[in-house]
Amino acid sequence: MGKSPDHVAWLKDTSERQATACGREIEIWEFDPQEDEAILSAWASYFRQHYISDDDLPAMVDGTGMDHAEYLRTIIFPDKSQTPGPSLRSGDFGEILVADYMEFILGYWSPRALRYQDRWNRNDSTKGCDVIGFKFASDQPHHGNDELFIFESKSGMSKTTNNRLQDAIDDSVKDKLREGMTLNALKQRMRVRGDMDQVERVKRFQNQAERPFRRINGAAAILDDTVFAETDLAVSDASFHPNADLLRLIVIKGPSLMTLVHALYERAADEA
């Protein structure tokens, strides 16, 4: 885990807790960005590099006849207005924010750039588990207290009648089936890039029967303040989840989130 980016300080625990219909605790967090140009610029650079590294960008732009900003807007980033681009933008933003929470607040290793860099279609979401994290209890090759943490993330940044936390819980049930494919995809991409130390770290979690570890699941909803106010979180039910005893529930709320999302993509393109 590297140094926490400055924008992570804008993600704060409200200390508010709500209970689900099945008696489980929901943590309420708030993301409240400030008008700090230096932090916003650094955040935009950090966010952009989830999709393409700054080292690779000039070579990939070469031959297209585009400048960096146009290339990012038309080839790499989800579309600003054409469906399903906007919903993919909000979904990616939510996943990356949850990965930041997992890595820089909870202390897991959360490799995520490969999820966004290997897309063939900028307006098609990547399959598999949304956010994945690893924690190692010791320097041993494997330890029974090592942890695999898989989060399902759902964004709700415009008016909706859906309970996005319930949607995340429901989809989290499927993560046990997606887990093996996600780990395999991660390992494959790391091998292609020659990151063999990371391959070994992922490989450790591919056979729980031979190398036991703790599996933790999470369901997160990233909600605009208006959606949060209209969502009855208390009706959420996780009693049917196969890993209900090790299921973490979190809601991250914030003001004018979709405006923020578009502004972040614009800055990420303009400052490339």
Side-chain angles (χ1 to χ4, degrees), residues 9 58 67 88 133 234 264:
D67 61 22
L88 192 58
L264 184 62

Side-chain angles (χ1 to χ4, degrees), residues 49-174:
Q49 292 183 75
H50 282 72
Y51 292 89
I52 185 169
S53 74
D54 284 350
D55 290 339
D56 288 341
L57 182 58
M60 296 307 297
V61 171
D62 187 34
T64 66
M66 304 178 190
D67 61 22
H68 288 188
E70 184 182 5
Y71 174 81
L72 288 164
R73 286 192 178 98
T74 60
I75 302 295
I76 299 297
F77 292 157
D79 195 271
K80 181 179 181 179
S81 55
Q82 182 179 343
T83 304
S87 63
L88 192 58
R89 282 187 171 202
S90 66
D92 286 359
F93 174 89
E95 289 175 7
I96 293 169
L97 190 60
V98 170
D100 288 344
Y101 161 79
M102 177 181 280
E103 182 161 353
F104 301 113
I105 293 176
L106 300 184
Y108 289 77
W109 173 51
S110 183
R112 63 303 251 291
L114 300 183
R115 178 169 174 80
Y116 309 97
Q117 288 181 5
D118 283 359
R119 284 178 178 161
W120 284 32
N121 181 345
R122 69 188 182 119
N123 286 326
D124 189 14
S125 63
T126 308
K127 311 311 176 193
C129 302
D130 287 347
V131 182
I132 192 164
F134 309 87
K135 185 178 283 188
F136 300 87
S138 72
D139 293 332
Q140 300 174 31
H142 52 85
H143 188 286
N145 288 333
D146 292 345
E147 294 180 357
L148 175 66
F149 197 159
I150 297 174
F151 247 110
E152 183 68 23
S153 168
K154 296 293 183 185
S155 293
M157 299 183 188
S158 57
K159 280 194 172 292
T160 176
T161 57
N162 290 355
N163 178 341
R164 298 301 278 158
L165 180 61
Q166 186 65 59
D167 291 342
I169 293 169
D170 293 346
D171 268 11
S172 175
V173 172
K174 306 171 188 175

